[in-house]
Amino acid sequence: MKTLKLSLFAVAGALFLSFSANAQQVAKKDVKTSSVPVKAAVAPAAATPVDQKPTGLTFKEEVYSFGDIEKGKPVTHEFTFKNTSKQTILLTNVKASCGCTTPTWTKTPIKPGESGNVTATYNAANEGAFTKTITVTANDTEQNKVLTIKGKVNPGAAVVAPANGPTQQ
């Protein structure tokens, strides 16, 4: 009697597992064969920025090159923009890509047709070429504007010691 109960329990368990595995295969097959609804639902999430509502900020320029600059002398550039939307815009966040760049920006609401600015100051402490970005977030859209500064930091003027005097380090 005990063996019969164990056998029935084993058969019931096996049937349950086979039904469960079959149900999973059918569900996977349904997902693979229903291409139109699934892809249509996935496509907007991976949409390109063209599909998004553009920001109402129109910058005079979005990339600025300082060219060659001297090491140890910070440089600053002001990016100006105009509110080309029909609503008041507020810059909610402006963030530089690294600590060597410090942004400041218009913190008051910008009405339609008015202008504002984002100023980027780059600390030219390290020699070599650089490209840094400043991400501007406004309240009018989820799409950010990315401003870019670039240039090349050259060594500063070398200190030349007198011919017969001590050298400076």
Side-chain angles (χ1 to χ4, degrees):
M1 186 71 153
K2 193 175 190 180
T3 310
L4 182 62
K5 286 182 183 179
L6 280 174
S7 296
L8 287 175
F9 185 68
V11 170
L15 286 173
F16 177 72
L17 289 175
S18 68
F19 285 133
S20 175
N22 189 31
Q24 287 178 353
Q25 287 177 352
V26 169
K28 286 181 183 178
K29 190 176 184 181
D30 287 344
V31 169
K32 288 180 184 176
T33 59
S34 63
S35 61
V36 175
V38 171
K39 288 183 180 180
V42 172
T48 60
V50 175
D51 295 338
Q52 296 178 351
K53 177 184 167 194
T55 183
L57 300 177
T58 303
F59 281 84
K60 185 177 177 181
E61 61 190 343
E62 294 182 21
V63 178
Y64 181 77
S65 177
F66 289 106
D68 289 343
I69 59 176
E70 188 177 333
K71 182 178 177 179
K73 293 190 177 182
V75 290
T76 300
H77 179 70
E78 182 176 279
F79 292 93
T80 58
F81 64 87
K82 186 174 185 177
N83 178 354
T84 55
S85 73
K86 295 180 181 180
Q87 66 183 24
T88 300
I89 294 178
L90 179 65
L91 300 185
T92 56
N93 192 23
V94 178
K95 185 175 181 180
S97 59
C98 73
C100 58
T101 306
T102 307
T104 57
W105 62 94
T106 302
K107 295 193 172 48
T108 57
I110 301 110
K111 295 179 181 174
E114 290 184 350
S115 296
N117 63 60
V118 174
T119 303
T121 301
Y122 177 71
N123 179 8
N126 296 319
E127 293 179 24
F130 67 91
T131 300
K132 305 297 176 184
T133 60
I134 300 94
T135 304
V136 179
T137 307
N139 66 334
D140 71 326
T141 183
E142 293 177 11
Q143 185 179 356
N144 299 328
K145 281 283 191 179
V146 178
L147 307 174
T148 304
I149 57 171
K150 57 186 178 177
K152 182 179 178 188
V153 179
N154 295 319
V159 177
V160 180
N164 295 334
T167 58
Q168 293 180 350
Q169 303 249 355

